[in-house]
Amino acid sequence: MRKPIMAGNWKMNKTRDEALEFVYQVQDALPSKEKVETIICAPSIILRDLVKRQGDNLRIGAQNMHEKDSGAYTGEISALMLKSTEVEYVIIGHSERRQYFNETDESVNAKVKKALEVGLKPIVCCGELLEQRENGTTHEVLDTQISKAFADVCEDSLSNVIIAYEPVWAIGTGKVASPEMADEACGYIRSLVEKLYSKKAANEIRILYGGSVSTKSVNELMAQPNIDGGLVGGASLKADSFIELCNACVK
Ligand code: 13P
């Protein structure tokens, strides 16, 4: 059985004080690590402070990294720098990075490989635009994103990989995908993993849904067979709703 994951993506939100207050508020109310893998992906400047205060039931991740080891890339952060803060996870290829920072399937692939090389667990994002959903090319888009993201990634590494299906039209819009639609897409991604690797890999990999997940929609989403958890933006910012989301993942 796949252990559920609830991951908050704070994006560019929270000062250090606000972040520490959040951890203080949620710590004792989150489910145990045996039941749910609970993650907060925070702005890089506060990662170390959060890592120092994380517990077994709340782990910390970053939101991005550069694929090169070091060099003249002003403002960027390498995988080894993240590793040195002792974070465990890193989001890679979020649609906001693809849209505003020109990330491509090729850079996503380079980042996934680098993250795995240094021992970070990548949360690899994919998902279609509204026009792609409307013109019926969602499967093609997912096909390309997944096959390129995992080019030259070996099956042994997959136990450290999480995939997040985030339809771009559902992110921050309040328009959550229906549970059936989200499950169909996550099931399709699982079939791609089977095609690229094996049935075992497809059965074991955790696939999250992201896009306007809220305390109202989480139960139905989590009841779907192919959805193993959520990658949540807005609803992860408040302690009480994050606690509710995490508890909704307990199966
Ligand atoms: P919202 O939950 O705010 O729609 O954001 C989803 C997301 O982008 C998580 O990575």
Side-chain angles (χ1 to χ4, degrees), residues 9 11 91 94 96 166 170-173 210-213 231-235:
N9 173 11
K11 309 190 181 185
I91 297 174
H94 191 280
E96 286 151 16
E166 298 205 306
I171 295 178
T173 58
S212 295
V213 176
L231 180 58
V232 183

Side-chain angles (χ1 to χ4, degrees), residues 22-42:
F22 177 98
V23 172
Y24 176 74
Q25 286 173 346
V26 300
Q27 234 158 24
D28 295 334
L30 294 175
S32 72
K33 72 166 191 216
E34 284 74 28
K35 293 192 172 138
V36 180
E37 207 167 310
T38 304
I39 307 164
I40 286 289
C41 295

Side-chain angles (χ1 to χ4, degrees), residues 216-227:
K216 287 199 180 74
S217 56
V218 68
N219 285 314
E220 263 197 290
L221 288 163
M222 284 304 300
Q224 303 305 310
N226 282 299
I227 300 178

